[in-house]
Amino acid sequence: MDLETFTPGSGRLEPRAALRSDAPALDLNGTWRFRLAPTATLPDDFARPDFDDSGWDDIPVPSHWPLHGHGAPAYTNVSFPFPIDPPHVPDDNPTGDYRRAFDLPDGWTGGRLRFEGAESFARVWLNGHELGFWTGSRLPVEFDAGPWLRQGRNVLAVRVHQWSNASYLEDQDMWWLPGIFRDVTLTRSTADVFVRASYADGHGTLSFDGPGTLSVPELGLTGLAPGEEVRVEVEPWTAETPRLYDAVVTAPQETLRLRIGFRTISIVDGVLLANGRPLLLKGVNRHEFHPEHGRAVPYETMREDVLLMKRHNVNAVRTSHYPPHPRFLDLCDELGLWVIDECDLETHGFGQVGWRGNPTDDPRYAEALLDRMRRTVERDKNHPSVIMWSLGNEAGVGRNLAVMADWTRERDPSRPLHYEGDWSCANTDVYSRMYASHAEVEAIGRGEEDPLDDPGLDARRRTMPFLQCEYAHAMGNGPGGLAEYQALFERYPRLAGGFIWEWIDHGLAHPEHEYAYGGDYGEPIHDSNFVIDGLVFPDRTPSPGLLDLKKVFEPVRFEFGDGVVRIVNRHDFLDLTHLDFLVTVEDSAEHRLEVPAGGGEVKLPALPVETGERWLTVRAVLAGDQPWAGAGHEIAWGQTRLSPPEPRSDEIVAGPWSAGLVRDGGEITVGESAFDAETGRLVRLFGLPVEGPRLDLWRAPTDNDRYGGLEATWRGLGLHRLTHRVDGLDVGDTLVVRTRVAAAATDLAMRATYRWSVAGDGALLLSLHIGPEGDWREPIPRLGVTMTLPGDAVDRVTWYGRGPGEAYPDTGMAARVGRWTATVEELQTPYVYPQENGHRADVRWAELGPFTVSGDPVFGMTVRRWSAGELTAARHRPDLVPGERVHLHLDLAQQGIGTATCGPGTLPAYDLKAGPVTLRLRFEPR
């Protein structure tokens, strides 16, 4: 049957560029008639103009039919949701029939039907005549509609099959969402234009292929003929300076408007260059996604994505793993982002069967793969933001890569080629990898990577720039290790940077779960929450990971000395004249610094001397409005401590406690505080009923803990089900409680000795000494104490330490030292899949309702309205229901985060190993 054909389409016109034309066009988006059938074996009678579709439903186009009550979404990362038996497809093949009636304006003649995207196999009829079919879900196609158009009413009919032979080429770690999900247009435009605009030494070189003549009024250029080349004085296009020139192509039947950016991408001595300067990509991978609309992303949302990226110091996007909507690239041109434009190709599921039958190496698929590459290049060839073509993603190796690469090099030699799946780089111009460890990245930067078996290919690869097309998997809490990666990228010229995986959590809006992930629609196979792995939540709220990324990607750095700050410009092309530099100490007035355009050492202003710990902050902000952010938007910041904390006297009250001790009803009391006389556990703190504190080693596993195997290790050790045994309780000048903390079925334990005393000012002091017993080999989740308070005791927390957001040993670069206030609800990070979150680091003191706790010198703090056990058990946000107690965690240390969901685990420096340590805390009433 046709669904199993290797031919990518029939009746199609040659691919051409996405262009703005004044030729007449009809927007055919809107409400269409729709019906869904469970199989592909249907008659074609629905295509007749007089067919009665009154019993059908309405559906918006563009959209996906599973998001409008027809069938259900399904998520897999690698696995095909059907048997791997190319080119065959299942009999159970959801098939959607679409009908759209439209009126042709008076005098209209000719025209093309243009479909920007439909998944995965579509056949089209106009007024009962079959125009043809197409595959390549995220690529445009055009059909000649002219001979079949009628004056007045016309009927367009489209049949879309979810599964086809083409589905084997589209296994791209995302929701399977069929339908006509991009725009449909009837246009009289027929022209194709290819503009070539390069830059060197202050001048641009311009030529074009296409009909008519080209003019650029701003450059005084008119009537440029096809094939004619001119050299003009221009400002270059870069992501930092996205200078565009409006151009007009006057063709015989239409006028086309383009925006030209002059730039040259090259590779010299193994370094990626833009306009002759080294280029460092600070990028993200971006799937198209909206929580209500799937991949039918509204333009306003695309624009918000680009604005968010720019505001968080992102300078590059990889269009994983298909060409985006063409308007997204317009935004990248306009606002400034470097783009790797990826072909609509991934065959990842074949890896689960040893790559047997992989289309990348099957000559029967050569035409289809080349067709997809041609349509990618032809559509997007005029965008200055596009600096590389990518042959696809995770499609293994094979002869068809050479077919795609050879054609692309001939058609457009101005852009390097990218493909990660073949580490020999036989068909690419850059060496690309995914999730290489820090150590491997450093080895590649030094040119000391493991050699290939083929000496010729090895020598060639060593001349290439290196980039990580995916790294720092941003799933749930994390990613960790960002700063260490960035330091390597900046240290070695061969390293061209990389792209975080990925931009957004693909959580679909759900009435019960708030946001759904794999398995929430009853899929027989799925990859659970692996689709929730972005830097922004589904509603595009920035996660702590994005805030950290902004800090790591800062284009300005601050190095502090005695009374001076050295300001380092890390922009690739801009100087510092577009920025203001402001200095403040805590809440004092801001002072402006005069900073040379190139940066350098600047004297800090004289500031008033005050007692107590004080921190100075320098901020770089936009001096004026930019298209992507207003004046005052913060680009970068740095801090240095001016003065240490004041010495604190924790002198213990002289004499034995027994002088003021009261034993009543099984309690040992000291003022308004009380301990259980048998366990020594604190039960009342300054009159407030409490439970704890007691030693805790567990945290609700993060995605990295779960997928990386640490959760299984920790559960095997029983760290989630610890028991506490009191071995001794002594009352003298201090209350000493000796305990052994361990889990059933293991001889590993922690000896925890609580030493309570009272300071001269009435504060209650805790010194908790922790010592491991047994051979603890693996990292542990956390070292700290947990206590609970009445739910109404704490509504808001004020603390002095790092904030305002969460921070863990290898995350939290965006957290700065200061005085912060937040409600208990605001202290939670609402990860779509609940997990450990909300930890505030390096806390000096915190006000918690009726008391204050301070550290000697610092501690970590988490405050929640649910326990770690309840957080561990939750699977969706609504599962977390506030209880009657507030759970307070006061930590000495936590295990790092890493990126083990996909990639390396925590760096050794951030592993929390069991050892003898002491936690010191001071509690005092407010």
Side-chain angles (χ1 to χ4, degrees), residues 374 513 596 793:
R374 288 185 65 219
H513 301 314

mmCIF file of all heavy atoms in Angstrom, residues 374 513 596 793:
data_model
loop_
_atom_site.group_PDB
_atom_site.id
_atom_site.type_symbol
_atom_site.label_atom_id
_atom_site.label_comp_id
_atom_site.label_asym_id
_atom_site.label_seq_id
_atom_site.Cartn_x
_atom_site.Cartn_y
_atom_site.Cartn_z
ATOM 1 N N ARG A 374 16.926 18.428 1.233
ATOM 2 C CA ARG A 374 16.688 19.471 0.222
ATOM 3 C C ARG A 374 15.614 20.451 0.699
ATOM 4 O O ARG A 374 15.770 21.665 0.577
ATOM 5 C CB ARG A 374 16.252 18.857 -1.110
ATOM 6 C CG ARG A 374 17.347 18.131 -1.873
ATOM 7 C CD ARG A 374 16.813 17.677 -3.230
ATOM 8 N NE ARG A 374 16.472 18.815 -4.072
ATOM 9 C CZ ARG A 374 15.409 18.884 -4.888
ATOM 10 N NH1 ARG A 374 14.563 17.868 -4.947
ATOM 11 N NH2 ARG A 374 15.196 19.947 -5.614
ATOM 12 N N HIS A 513 -3.721 15.870 36.452
ATOM 13 C CA HIS A 513 -2.315 15.919 36.845
ATOM 14 C C HIS A 513 -1.702 17.304 36.711
ATOM 15 O O HIS A 513 -0.530 17.466 37.041
ATOM 16 C CB HIS A 513 -1.500 14.941 35.998
ATOM 17 C CG HIS A 513 -1.955 13.518 36.112
ATOM 18 N ND1 HIS A 513 -2.227 12.919 37.327
ATOM 19 C CD2 HIS A 513 -2.186 12.567 35.164
ATOM 20 C CE1 HIS A 513 -2.603 11.677 37.121
ATOM 21 N NE2 HIS A 513 -2.584 11.424 35.827
ATOM 22 N N PRO A 596 35.863 51.333 31.166
ATOM 23 C CA PRO A 596 36.303 51.478 29.775
ATOM 24 C C PRO A 596 35.553 50.512 28.850
ATOM 25 O O PRO A 596 35.084 49.456 29.288
ATOM 26 C CB PRO A 596 37.791 51.137 29.845
ATOM 27 C CG PRO A 596 38.181 51.324 31.272
ATOM 28 C CD PRO A 596 36.960 50.996 32.077
ATOM 29 N N ALA A 793 2.498 27.884 62.541
ATOM 30 C CA ALA A 793 3.591 28.582 63.215
ATOM 31 C C ALA A 793 4.453 29.373 62.244
ATOM 32 O O ALA A 793 5.029 30.408 62.597
ATOM 33 C CB ALA A 793 4.459 27.577 63.973
#
